[in-house]
Amino acid sequence: MADIVAPAYRTIPIIPELKPGAMEGKGPFVASDKINEALGFPGHLVDDWHDKAIAKMGDLLSRYRSLKVYMDACVHCGACSDKCHYFIGTQDPKNMPVARQDLMRSVYRRYFTLPGKLFPKLVGARDLTKEVLDEWFNYFHQCSECRRCSVFCPYGIDTAEVTMAAREILDSVGYGQKYSNEIIGKVHKIGNNLGLPGPALKDTLEGLEEDVKDATGVDVRFPIDVKGAEVLLITPSADFFAEPHIDSLIGYAKVFHATGTSWTLSSMSSEAGNFGMFIGNYEQLRTIAMRIRQAALELGVKRIVVGECGHAWRVAYSFWNTLTGVGDGADPNDRFAQMLQKQLDHRYKQPAHICEFTWDMIQDERLVFDKSKNDKYVITFHDSCNVARGSNMGGYPGGQFDIPRNIIRAVATNFVEMDSSTIYERTFCCGGGGGLLTDDLIDVRVKGALPRMEMLQQVKDGHGVNFMACICAICKAQFTKVLPIYGFDRKVIGGVHQLVSNAIQLGVK
Amino acid sequence: MNTLFAIFIYFSTLVFVVGLLQRIRSYAGTPAPLKIPTTPAPVTSGGVMLRMTREVVLFESLFKANLWTWAAGWLFHASMLLVVLRHLRYFTDPVWGWVVFIQPFGIYAGITMLLGLFGLLARRFFVERIRYISTPSDYLMLVLLIGIAASGLLMKFAGHPDVILVKNFFIGLMHLSIQPLPANAVLYVHLSLVFTLLLIFPMSKLLHAPGLFFSPSRNQTDNPREKRHIASWAVKLESEK
């Protein structure tokens, strides 16, 4: 990894010139037979991959309105062409959202539209060859499904939907990505992405209790598998041991402790992240999410709260009700969903984000903070892509932007925003989302972080910012890795609840 | 020539109407299994209607994306709308009052439509990124529209064909009778291009017009926690377990 260097900042963030082929052959590792077969996919590229892939595409076009409309509607206006962080960082034209979509659209035109069948050259249609399939594998794994392009598209075309469809087609012909598929295998087998078994998890939590006791003198508990607890906390498994994730986990525990909330983790369902979304497979997405439903039913909890995790919060907020019934408003005859929804306490949103929980408690004046504990920091906030563009908090438009910022302002004094063209729904992905957080993709990850690093540098130089808070496990892991490459201290990145943890006063109320 | 044009016009109109309806039916009939509205996503259906209206009328997202593309694109579309409305006078008898009122504006709109189109074409030639993503059909589509606007303006400012005859021809077609068209080369070109556009509409990128209304990232209400949203094919997964 020694040869990985950060691209130079753009002096004025202008649109870079094209470098065709710059990221060719920079795709991820291919999954082994064993990894693919564990998920029910063919082990390796099947002989009749061409026909199978086209058939799968037809199947997806009939099941997803998004894909169908998005294949037809693009007019090549170019509104999205300079919006992708991977394009900005790599200058490879195939990383422009429209060009990435066209990798699939060209095949769609050839096999599913009359002009493409009659005059392929005229409308940019092409046969699905092995080269095209390889190109799909390469470039559809240089998309983090962050949806920034969709914000600017006049028709709302979401490249994430196209990427997911492409990955699902690739999986269906035995051409899966190692990283995502291996991790999904671990969730099915063990219950979390890291493959941390129940006993090890319990050990870790006991160790944490001791650490917090040593640091604060207070018995803050980290309960697991407690039947009848009020709150089930579902959090990314990185929170259990990775830095700086663990500091946020301590923050959640302190909030629960200080408010006297009975809560529990689940050893069977110890993962908020859902890589089923990354590979675009509804069945996988659903099977993974079903563990949460099962844990909620078995433990008899009243509320489900989700920890700091971007894609996970999108899945939880936007998809859990659909997939598993975690939510409200199911049809009275919908026995599957009603079974769970009758158990949940609907005075609260189900599921709730930990930031919603904490902010409610702050508003109810049930938490006391000593802001000076965070005075060593000048803080900025990085909006994580899937929270910003694929979810909500607080039940009103924009709540997902206000609530984490409100919390930061409640627990710290020095807060500044980064450039307005890179926050809220215009935020840039960290560069590691959507199944790209793997060392075999480090080159694209470093380059994809460029736009965010430029803006961080700006507030560092202008305001002395030394802490970038976020609410996503992938952002935390990605930035920890790439910050030093850009000349920052790795500890600049951290969670919102890490700040909460620093400032919270235990045993005061 | 009259019969030839009549056949072509009937045929392309039929393809346009049937093709478009078929396309819309297939969009409407395809389920959207997951809630995927993009921020800023309204949490009420009224909010969604407002958002769609802003997209359709003002091209809000494009405005955020790129001012030049927005300016050229909006100028072209708004002008074309006026021009099309102006042409209603060839299909109505007596002509509606408001159509009479907009006649002079429609002529200016023909000119601004051309300006917008040249702006869009210039981007395809001069902006490297846009040139990279442009297919031959992208250029041809603009050339087709430029041809339509230019031939239309040419008839207004030079070599005026007998518009009464043109009107009789179209009113005739509406009553399934073929009346004579004025023998005018520019008119022939104009009509050929216009009805070629209708012919290719349902199988080309012109489907962006109906597509916008069916785009889940724009037309969905952001209320997944409040109301369970599930596709028919997804319900079947639940009965299996």
Side-chain angles (χ1 to χ4, degrees), chain A residues 15 17-18 61-65 68-70 72-79 81-83 93-94 96 98 108 115 122-123 147 150-156 161 282 286 313-314 317-319 321-322 328-329 334 336-337 349-351 356 388-389 392 400 426, chain B residues 23 26-28 30-43 55 61-62 64-65 69 123-124 128-130 132-138 140 203-205 207-208 211-212 214-219 222 224-230 233-234 237-238:
Chain A
I15 300 142
E17 60 181 282
L18 305 185
L61 285 165
S62 73
R63 282 161 68 202
Y64 289 88
R65 184 187 297 165
K68 186 167 220 156
V69 171
Y70 297 162
D72 276 345
C74 179
V75 299
H76 290 169
C77 75
S81 62
D82 56 349
K83 303 298 186 285
K94 284 179 183 149
M96 293 191 286
V98 48
Y108 165 77
L122 182 73
V123 296
R147 317 186 86 205
S150 174
V151 168
F152 297 99
C153 175
Y155 321 112
E161 294 288 308
Y282 190 96
R286 179 172 182 276
W313 176 239
R314 181 177 181 205
Y317 171 84
S318 290
F319 305 160
N321 199 1
T322 297
D328 198 358
D334 181 351
F336 174 85
K349 295 285 187 194
Q350 304 285 358
E356 293 182 300
R389 290 185 284 262
N392 179 269
Q400 74 271 39
R426 298 178 186 215
Chain B
R23 228 40 222 155
S26 104
Y27 291 157
T30 309
L34 293 164
K35 280 276 192 174
I36 58 165
T38 325
T39 309
V43 295
E55 286 292 357
S61 296
L62 186 58
K64 286 189 221 169
T69 311
R123 291 188 79 253
R124 290 214 184 275
E128 191 189 17
R129 286 171 290 120
I130 318 281
Y132 180 89
I133 56 172
S134 297
T135 62
S137 57
D138 292 327
L140 282 178
M203 51 197 110
S204 68
K205 66 175 187 175
L207 286 169
H208 67 279
L212 171 58
F214 291 94
S215 173
S217 55
R218 290 288 183 272
N219 74 6
D222 187 21
R225 289 192 289 189
E226 289 75 18
K227 188 155 178 27
R228 188 163 196 238
H229 167 95
I230 188 151
W233 62 257
L237 299 173
E238 280 164 21

Side-chain angles (χ1 to χ4, degrees), chain A residues 265-383:
Chain A
L265 292 156
S266 158
S267 55
M268 185 267 291
S269 177
S270 48
E271 179 60 64
N274 191 326
F275 279 35
M277 180 169 82
F278 297 167
I279 64 167
N281 183 297
Y282 190 96
E283 289 74 16
Q284 289 293 335
L285 187 60
R286 179 172 182 276
T287 310
I288 296 167
M290 283 296 282
R291 299 183 84 94
I292 289 132
R293 171 188 166 92
Q294 200 188 332
L297 287 169
E298 279 173 13
L299 298 171
V301 295
K302 299 287 176 210
R303 302 181 65 179
I304 301 177
V305 174
V306 181
E308 295 179 356
C309 193
H311 294 78
W313 176 239
R314 181 177 181 205
V315 173
Y317 171 84
S318 290
F319 305 160
W320 272 3
N321 199 1
T322 297
L323 298 168
T324 68
V326 175
D328 198 358
D331 188 274
N333 301 321
D334 181 351
R335 282 179 44 223
F336 174 85
Q338 283 296 344
M339 189 177 156
L340 178 60
Q341 295 192 354
K342 277 187 187 142
Q343 175 189 316
L344 298 174
D345 184 345
H346 294 289
R347 287 175 301 167
Y348 308 101
K349 295 285 187 194
Q350 304 285 358
H353 194 280
I354 186 70
C355 285
E356 293 182 300
F357 183 91
T358 300
W359 179 236
D360 278 350
M361 292 299 169
I362 292 173
Q363 285 178 303
D364 288 353
E365 298 181 353
R366 290 175 62 184
L367 295 171
V368 180
F369 298 105
D370 176 2
K371 285 188 179 192
S372 70
K373 297 278 200 238
N374 282 316
D375 276 355
K376 61 187 166 184
Y377 293 132
V378 181
I379 300 160
T380 191
F381 183 69
H382 162 74
D383 287 290

Side-chain angles (χ1 to χ4, degrees), chain A residues 60-368:
Chain A
L60 294 179
L61 285 165
S62 73
R63 282 161 68 202
Y64 289 88
R65 184 187 297 165
S66 52
L67 187 66
K68 186 167 220 156
V69 171
Y70 297 162
M71 284 293 110
D72 276 345
C74 179
V75 299
H76 290 169
C77 75
C80 63
S81 62
D82 56 349
K83 303 298 186 285
C84 174
H85 53 290
Y86 291 121
F87 169 65
I88 293 171
T90 67
Q91 297 173 250
D92 189 319
K94 284 179 183 149
N95 275 330
M96 293 191 286
V98 48
R100 196 188 312 283
Q101 295 161 21
D102 273 355
L103 298 177
M104 182 182 279
R105 191 173 287 114
S106 56
V107 174
Y108 165 77
R109 289 231 166 111
R110 184 75 178 113
Y111 295 86
F112 296 93
T113 73
L114 190 62
K117 284 174 186 165
L118 298 178
F119 318 105
K121 286 257 159 54
L122 182 73
V123 296
R126 41 176 205 168
D127 291 322
L128 181 60
T129 60
K130 181 64 175 33
E131 288 70 37
V132 171
L133 202 70
D134 289 341
E135 204 172 38
W136 281 22
F137 186 78
N138 191 52
Y139 287 103
F140 284 118
H141 289 103
Q142 296 186 29
C143 167
S144 57
E145 304 176 354
C146 85
R147 317 186 86 205
R148 190 167 194 264
C149 46
S150 174
V151 168
F152 297 99
C153 175
Y155 321 112
I157 298 174
D158 181 4
T159 311
E161 294 288 308
V162 182
T163 293
M164 290 176 202
R167 292 183 185 178
E168 182 161 18
I169 294 170
L170 288 167
D171 272 328
S172 76
V173 297
Y175 200 173
Q177 182 214 16
K178 175 172 181 269
Y179 174 68
S180 293
N181 287 0
E182 190 172 32
I183 280 183
I184 292 173
K186 282 186 204 161
V187 181
H188 290 325
K189 214 164 147 198
I190 300 165
N192 56 58
N193 289 354
L194 294 168
L196 204 63
L201 185 55
K202 280 174 188 142
D203 271 358
T204 308
L205 295 174
E206 277 168 22
L208 271 179
E209 289 180 351
E210 286 164 23
D211 292 349
V212 177
K213 171 90 177 174
D214 289 346
T216 64
V218 181
D219 279 312
V220 175
R221 308 264 299 122
F222 290 78
I224 187 160
D225 297 333
V226 178
K227 280 203 172 146
E230 192 196 346
V231 169
L232 170 63
L233 177 75
I234 302 289
T235 204
S237 53
D239 282 3
F240 298 125
F241 83 104
E243 284 286 348
H245 307 64
I246 204 159
D247 297 319
S248 283
L249 177 63
I250 294 170
Y252 319 150
K254 286 181 179 172
V255 169
F256 289 134
H257 177 92
T259 55
T261 307
S262 81
W263 68 290
T264 185
L265 292 156
S266 158
S267 55
M268 185 267 291
S269 177
S270 48
E271 179 60 64
N274 191 326
F275 279 35
M277 180 169 82
F278 297 167
I279 64 167
N281 183 297
Y282 190 96
E283 289 74 16
Q284 289 293 335
L285 187 60
R286 179 172 182 276
T287 310
I288 296 167
M290 283 296 282
R291 299 183 84 94
I292 289 132
R293 171 188 166 92
Q294 200 188 332
L297 287 169
E298 279 173 13
L299 298 171
V301 295
K302 299 287 176 210
R303 302 181 65 179
I304 301 177
V305 174
V306 181
E308 295 179 356
C309 193
H311 294 78
W313 176 239
R314 181 177 181 205
V315 173
Y317 171 84
S318 290
F319 305 160
W320 272 3
N321 199 1
T322 297
L323 298 168
T324 68
V326 175
D328 198 358
D331 188 274
N333 301 321
D334 181 351
R335 282 179 44 223
F336 174 85
Q338 283 296 344
M339 189 177 156
L340 178 60
Q341 295 192 354
K342 277 187 187 142
Q343 175 189 316
L344 298 174
D345 184 345
H346 294 289
R347 287 175 301 167
Y348 308 101
K349 295 285 187 194
Q350 304 285 358
H353 194 280
I354 186 70
C355 285
E356 293 182 300
F357 183 91
T358 300
W359 179 236
D360 278 350
M361 292 299 169
I362 292 173
Q363 285 178 303
D364 288 353
E365 298 181 353
R366 290 175 62 184
L367 295 171
V368 180

Side-chain angles (χ1 to χ4, degrees), chain B residues 39 81 92:
Chain B
T39 309
L81 176 67
T92 49

